[in-house]
Amino acid sequence: MVTVRNGVVHLHGIATSDPARESTIVAAENTAGVKKVCDPPASWIPTGLYVESPKDVKAAS
């Protein structure tokens, strides 16, 4: 899931590989109007397990 507020993109979801995660970040960064991309380190775990940070939950609300 992707949420955007005031040009700040928050990425949420499961990244099953580092290249997939990196390409998603690059795509978001290259989107017109985007000022910042937030991808918390806790959201990527090599096993594909997704852990949502409380800060992101609050920011997306």
Side-chain angles (χ1 to χ4, degrees):
M1 176 172 64
V2 177
T3 57
V4 182
R5 183 174 292 153
N6 298 321
V8 179
V9 176
H10 292 269
L11 302 174
H12 311 271
I14 298 171
T16 56
S17 70
D18 199 43
R21 177 182 160 270
E22 290 174 11
S23 64
T24 303
I25 293 168
V26 169
E29 290 172 338
N30 290 320
T31 301
V34 171
K35 298 174 185 173
K36 180 180 177 181
V37 176
C38 298
D39 176 51
S43 68
W44 162 245
I45 299 173
T47 62
L49 176 65
Y50 175 74
V51 179
E52 194 166 33
S53 75
K55 182 178 178 181
D56 279 346
V57 171
K58 185 176 180 180
S61 299

